[in-house]
Amino acid sequence: HVQLMESGGGSVQAGGSLRLSCAVSGHTPSIHFMGWFRQAPGKEREGIAVIDRLGSATYTDAVKGRFTTTISQDNAKNTLYLQMNSLKPEDTARYYCAADDIRRLGAYVTPTEVLQFGYWGQGTQVTVSS
């Protein structure tokens, strides 16, 4: 079993930056893919980034060039990060990290498929004001 916990959300003005963290615990050797999705009020969930355990990442067009996701593996402690730059009011949403223990390394996984991952965190709110 895997547990995820996000942190780092908050309020920022347009053009600003935030970095989200996702602490991963549990049986992590089985995790080959992780990612981020978000949900704004009244809107559907949107997968925005996926990364494999080797650090190769793919982004949805809405965040490409502005957001970067990375994985840190330090002394068996895994942390997923999402660096968000040039934030826009339309980025306002609750952000979730997710992990998958089904897809094998080497598989082609799109950001949209993050919504199918089996493990989710509780989310952290990001609010961008104009």
Side-chain angles (χ1 to χ4, degrees):
H1 194 64
V2 174
Q3 296 84 41
L4 307 172
M5 181 168 291
E6 302 93 338
S7 60
S11 296
V12 65
Q13 288 191 329
S17 298
L18 282 174
R19 188 175 82 156
L20 306 184
S21 299
C22 174
V24 186
S25 60
H27 191 250
T28 57
S30 63
I31 300 297
H32 297 293
F33 289 92
M34 296 192 66
W36 298 90
F37 68 92
R38 64 187 181 184
Q39 187 167 26
K43 294 188 177 181
E44 294 186 352
R45 296 186 186 109
E46 175 189 21
I48 59 172
V50 62
I51 186 169
D52 67 23
R53 67 181 304 119
L54 299 182
S56 179
T58 305
Y59 304 90
T60 191
D61 287 346
V63 306
K64 192 177 298 181
R66 299 188 298 121
F67 291 11
T68 302
T69 188
T70 54
I71 291 179
S72 172
Q73 298 177 0
D74 183 17
N75 294 328
K77 180 180 178 181
N78 297 322
T79 306
L80 181 69
Y81 297 101
L82 183 67
Q83 178 67 43
M84 305 185 295
N85 299 327
S86 302
L87 283 161
K88 305 174 182 180
E90 51 264 43
D91 294 318
T92 294
R94 191 165 185 85
Y95 284 72
Y96 300 82
C97 64
D100 178 77
D101 61 359
I102 295 176
R103 292 161 179 80
R104 298 305 179 195
L105 196 63
Y108 178 70
V109 182
T110 67
T112 300
E113 292 180 69
V114 173
L115 301 178
Q116 302 170 11
F117 287 2
Y119 302 100
W120 294 4
Q122 85 290 349
T124 185
Q125 180 66 34
V126 171
T127 302
V128 184
S129 59
S130 57

